[in-house]
């Protein structure tokens, strides 16, 4: 295996700096990048657009294989399309955000998306940084390096409300905790830290410090190969 071909799994809840860190690390080290959450958002967007009853898991399961989701893996310009349509913006709406947990909890959806994620990782010749909630535990249990980012609810809410430009911090905190509860308690591939993951608490770290920490961990793993 090429020295550069390292598979890095970065898991953790929303607001821990996961996406910003993952993209920056991949760009700095010349690796591909995959935002697995965007894929679940994309299939949720398709379901909403096609008026699927999202309170009915069997209705979701019945159509899960219909949309074609394609993820671009350039960390400087990650793209995502559904049936050829660019959905990078639409998948970030509050409507999609509020419904993604219900869709992603359906086992048939997770099975399809997990298979897609594994094929993308396998095709990444120079290695890849894959971020999500169940990468180290379920999607890529044999990843070279597993990192679990965490942060206090207050720090996460402050970051996320900043991203949402002036959103109410308390409301954001409640929404994050609700999402955590849904993701951690689902039966299929819950949000969880892998036993062999390195935990990094980002509460009191700047983004630059988190990136530096992860780059160092990847370097150590490469040197040990």
């Amino acid at each position: 295996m090429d020295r550069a071909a390292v598979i890095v799994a970065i898991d953790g809840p929303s607001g821990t700096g996961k996406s910003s860190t993952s993209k920056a690390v991949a760009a700095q080290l010349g690796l591909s990048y995959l935002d697995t959450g965007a894929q679940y958002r994309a299939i949720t967007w398709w379901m909403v657009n096609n008026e699927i009853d999202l309170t009915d898991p069997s209705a979701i399961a019945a159509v899960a294989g219909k949309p074609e989701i394609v993820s671009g893996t350039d960390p400087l310009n990650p793209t995502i399309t559904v049936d050829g349509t660019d959905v990078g913006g639409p998948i970030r709406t509050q409507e999609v955000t509020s419904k993604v947990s219900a869709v992603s909890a359906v086992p048939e959806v997770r099975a399809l998306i997990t298979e897609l994620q594994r094929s993308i990782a396998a095709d990444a010749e120079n290695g890849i940084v894959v971020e999500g909630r169940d990468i180290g535990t379920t999607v890529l249990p044999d990843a070279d390096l597993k990192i679990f980012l965490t942060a206090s609810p207050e720090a996460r809410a402050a970051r996320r409300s900043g991203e949402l430009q002036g959103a109410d911090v308390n409301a954001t905190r409640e929404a994050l905790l609700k999402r955590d509860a849904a993701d951690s308690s689902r039966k299929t591939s819950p949000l969880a830290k892998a036993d062999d993951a390195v935990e990094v608490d980002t509460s009191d770290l700047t983004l630059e410090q988190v990136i530096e920490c992860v780059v160092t961990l990847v370097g150590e793993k490469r040197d040990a190969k």
Side-chain angles (χ1 to χ4, degrees), residues 11 145-149 193-200 213 217:
D11 289 305
L145 175 63
K146 301 174 189 177
I147 294 170
F148 192 85
L149 295 186
K193 176 189 167 191
D195 292 339
D196 54 346
V198 179
E199 183 169 320
V200 179
C213 173
L217 288 169

Side-chain angles (χ1 to χ4, degrees), residues 50-216:
N50 285 274
E51 300 181 344
I52 307 303
D53 181 0
L54 300 188
T55 64
D56 181 359
S58 61
I60 295 171
V63 295
K66 288 193 171 184
E68 183 189 17
I69 297 169
V70 178
S71 296
T73 58
D74 178 354
L76 298 177
N77 183 33
T79 57
I80 186 155
T81 63
V82 177
D83 297 330
T85 299
D86 178 359
V87 294
I91 64 171
R92 304 293 172 183
T93 62
Q94 185 54 42
E95 184 176 26
V96 170
T97 298
S98 67
K99 292 172 179 172
V100 68
S101 285
V103 174
S104 62
V106 176
E108 290 83 357
V109 170
R110 296 206 77 82
L112 284 164
I113 299 290
T114 295
E115 188 178 334
L116 175 61
Q117 291 162 358
R118 286 174 178 160
S119 68
I120 292 170
D123 290 342
E125 292 181 3
N126 292 328
I128 190 168
V129 176
V130 184
E131 61 140 308
R133 286 172 166 75
D134 66 338
I135 310 307
T137 53
T138 302
V139 180
L140 299 169
D142 297 324
D144 298 300
L145 175 63
K146 301 174 189 177
I147 294 170
F148 192 85
L149 295 186
T150 184
S152 69
E154 291 72 25
R156 293 166 54 207
R159 283 180 194 144
R160 185 47 54 93
S161 59
E163 289 169 11
L164 299 174
Q165 296 174 338
D168 179 80
V169 175
N170 288 329
T172 302
R173 181 178 182 276
E174 291 307 309
L176 287 173
L177 292 175
K178 186 177 176 184
R179 176 80 192 271
D180 288 353
D183 290 346
S184 300
S185 62
R186 65 171 177 246
K187 290 190 175 75
T188 307
S189 304
L191 164 66
K193 176 189 167 191
D195 292 339
D196 54 346
V198 179
E199 183 169 320
V200 179
D201 188 330
T202 69
S203 301
D204 300 317
L205 300 177
T206 64
L207 176 59
E208 288 69 27
Q209 287 172 321
V210 179
I211 293 166
E212 184 181 350
C213 173
V214 175
V215 166
T216 299

Side-chain angles (χ1 to χ4, degrees), residues 1-7 29 31 125-127 144 218-225:
M1 186 180 271
D2 185 292
R3 181 178 181 270
V6 61
I7 293 179
L29 298 177
L31 304 173
E125 292 181 3
N126 292 328
D144 298 300
V218 175
E220 290 171 354
K221 185 59 66 171
R222 278 176 160 176
D223 291 342
K225 268 183 164 296

Side-chain angles (χ1 to χ4, degrees), residues 22-44:
S22 298
K23 281 186 277 196
V25 169
Q28 201 167 315
L29 298 177
L31 304 173
S32 296
Y33 161 76
L34 177 61
D35 174 1
T36 63
Q39 296 175 319
Y40 285 107
R41 286 174 172 274
I43 197 167
T44 301

